[in-house]
Amino acid sequence: MLDIRLIREQSEQITARLAARGGESHLRINDILECDRERRAAETRLQQLQSDRKRISKEIGQRKAKGEDTSSVEAEVRALGDEVAKLNEEAALLDARQRDLLLQLPNLPHEGCPVGEDASANPEVRIWGERPAYAFTPQSHVEIGERLGLFDFERAAKVSGSAFVCFTGAGARLERALVNFLLDLHTREHGYTEVSTPFVVRAEALVGTSQLPKFEEQLYRCERDELYLAPTAEVPVTNLHREEILNPEQLPIRYTAYSPCFRREAGSAGLGTRGLIRMHQFDKVELVKITTPEESAQELEKLTADAEHVLQLLGLHYRTIELCTGDIGFGSTRTYDIEVWAPGQQAYLEVSSCSSFGDFQARRMNLRFKDGDGKNRFCHTLNGSGTALPRLMVALLEVYQQADGSVRLPAPLHAYFGSERLG
RNA sequence: GGUGAGGUGGCUGAGUGGUCGAAAGCAGCGCUUUGCUAAAGCGCCGUACUCCAAAAGGGUACCGAGGGUUCGAAUCCCUCCCUCACCGCCA
């Protein structure tokens, strides 16, 4: 959520920066300003009337204590009270409308965010390793996995429908090995604290991290209980500290969490095809940070490096791109995507998206810290995958497939998996 | 699911219709005293919104949330949420 005062005072710059995202969000600025003017006018009048009422009511109390008759004044104040109620309703309506408008407005891209219209304008910021060469035609993970009995889409569909998977045997064990490997790496080497949160969340949490109100159709909802399945651990983890005022000594907070992620993927291309690349449910190890505004930029670089470290340890060729203004997510000010090479797909797969949200989410969840002067300021929040598991598995299977049809795992996984190879 | 208790400022905790944004204590900040520490004394010490060009200074709201009664609600009534305890059920 953007600061209404900033919008009021720098409406032209704000409009221009939102326009860089494409879309139509910047066109709402004038509506917001108008609503803000109306709201403040109503509030000012309301406050004047309330002030009158308060004063007169106090006088009534004093006069009654002296035994005076106050019935005529009471009638007068009653009329005032009716007017207050009416204006109060009007002001509340305007306030709700303004909040709604602000909640629908995306974040401002960071000054450093490259300007561009769409994904084709995303600059590559780093590339690590090289595309491996094969003496044979690399197979897709789907073929490899079915041959080695690592997962089963047909049976998962019997249970849950299409775009779900059931890992089986060594596949399930590999999944578990990856979770442990990633959590150990981030806690032991990167300084994160492991948390294991609820996976079912309230609407307010989703508003906090900005999945709601705009992206409701992407969420699984449990209507009876007014709860949603978390689409990413970002939601429960970041919201752990909602409505809090943190001490600066606590910052930065760095959390890592394993969680399943549930996404309806309404309108997504590619859901009809088999494979692990896009599903309604997948596992992920997430990285979340809560920082001061001063530290957030460097913490984003570190967070991205932590996610990249996963791929480096596993010897997987990847590239890191920065999303341009036309491609960054709704709440993000700045995002790095890490894409791993998958030879069976002949494509780079996004395994991590590392973003800084500035104070956008913190405003929505009223997450603040007390600075050195004792003033309450909004925190900055960040998150990134570290990493998504099915796509990591895709890369591992496809990259490390052997001519004999087996898969040789990279060394860091041997102990976690309990074996050096699959098949 | 049932029964009971309860939700007040950073914390503890008073307050059951008016002068209460809220006693008191603790913590915190400033000053005085002091060789230092300690102790004592005095003062300050919530948040949000809003008015004013800004500062100074006003105003309004907020005692879990929402509604109601009243000239006036932390206080009375209703609904909901949450926490705790015990019982039941259950991985």
Side-chain angles (χ1 to χ4, degrees), chain A residues 34-103:
Chain A
E34 192 188 326
C35 185
D36 179 51
R37 274 192 296 271
E38 287 179 32
R39 189 197 104 244
R40 283 186 295 150
E43 276 179 19
T44 302
R45 278 210 309 140
L46 172 67
Q47 289 175 7
Q48 182 57 53
L49 292 181
Q50 283 174 322
S51 175
D52 292 345
R53 180 179 65 173
K54 204 172 170 177
R55 196 192 65 247
I56 297 170
S57 288
K58 214 171 258 187
E59 284 170 14
I60 290 173
Q62 287 163 347
R63 288 172 59 179
K64 275 195 165 170
K66 289 187 228 159
E68 296 175 26
D69 173 57
T70 54
S71 50
S72 67
V73 194
E74 281 180 34
E76 185 191 319
V77 180
R78 196 174 297 128
L80 234 176
D82 291 344
E83 211 173 330
V84 165
K86 221 175 71 188
L87 252 174
N88 197 9
E89 204 173 317
E90 191 183 319
L93 226 60
L94 285 164
D95 195 65
R97 181 171 135 77
Q98 177 173 310
R99 180 170 168 81
D100 189 56
L101 285 168
L102 287 174
L103 285 177

Side-chain angles (χ1 to χ4, degrees), chain A residues 181 313-315 396 400 408-417 419-420:
Chain A
F181 165 68
L313 288 173
L314 297 177
L396 286 167
Y400 290 112
R408 205 192 61 227
L409 292 173
L413 294 178
H414 293 174
Y416 284 101
F417 181 64
S419 171
E420 299 188 5

Side-chain angles (χ1 to χ4, degrees), chain A residues 1-196:
Chain A
M1 192 159 66
L2 300 185
D3 182 1
I4 182 62
R5 269 176 243 177
L6 193 70
I7 296 176
R8 209 184 284 155
E9 285 158 20
Q10 303 184 16
S11 58
E12 280 170 34
Q13 292 99 307
I14 302 285
T15 303
R17 286 172 70 187
L18 287 177
R21 280 179 167 273
E24 302 192 329
S25 60
H26 62 289
L27 303 175
R28 310 309 297 272
I29 292 296
N30 280 334
D31 296 342
I32 291 170
L33 286 172
E34 192 188 326
C35 185
D36 179 51
R37 274 192 296 271
E38 287 179 32
R39 189 197 104 244
R40 283 186 295 150
E43 276 179 19
T44 302
R45 278 210 309 140
L46 172 67
Q47 289 175 7
Q48 182 57 53
L49 292 181
Q50 283 174 322
S51 175
D52 292 345
R53 180 179 65 173
K54 204 172 170 177
R55 196 192 65 247
I56 297 170
S57 288
K58 214 171 258 187
E59 284 170 14
I60 290 173
Q62 287 163 347
R63 288 172 59 179
K64 275 195 165 170
K66 289 187 228 159
E68 296 175 26
D69 173 57
T70 54
S71 50
S72 67
V73 194
E74 281 180 34
E76 185 191 319
V77 180
R78 196 174 297 128
L80 234 176
D82 291 344
E83 211 173 330
V84 165
K86 221 175 71 188
L87 252 174
N88 197 9
E89 204 173 317
E90 191 183 319
L93 226 60
L94 285 164
D95 195 65
R97 181 171 135 77
Q98 177 173 310
R99 180 170 168 81
D100 189 56
L101 285 168
L102 287 174
L103 285 177
Q104 302 269 359
L105 204 65
N107 202 357
L108 298 175
H110 190 272
E111 289 88 341
C113 184
V115 177
E117 278 190 21
D118 54 41
S120 66
N122 295 338
E124 183 178 289
V125 296
R126 263 186 301 284
I127 189 150
W128 189 90
E130 294 177 1
R131 296 186 192 184
Y134 297 88
F136 52 92
T137 305
Q139 292 187 312
S140 160
H141 66 282
V142 178
E143 296 167 88
I144 299 167
E146 293 197 333
R147 192 180 62 245
L148 299 178
L150 305 180
F151 40 72
D152 187 332
F153 286 98
E154 284 72 24
R155 293 200 172 88
K158 286 203 291 193
V159 176
S160 306
S162 66
F164 287 92
V165 72
C166 176
F167 290 101
T168 54
R173 187 155 52 102
L174 178 57
E175 159 92 2
R176 177 160 55 89
L178 288 170
V179 171
N180 287 333
F181 165 68
L182 293 171
L183 288 173
D184 283 348
L185 173 67
H186 295 310
T187 54
R188 291 176 188 168
E189 291 189 35
H190 298 154
Y192 293 77
T193 302
E194 182 175 347
V195 290
S196 177

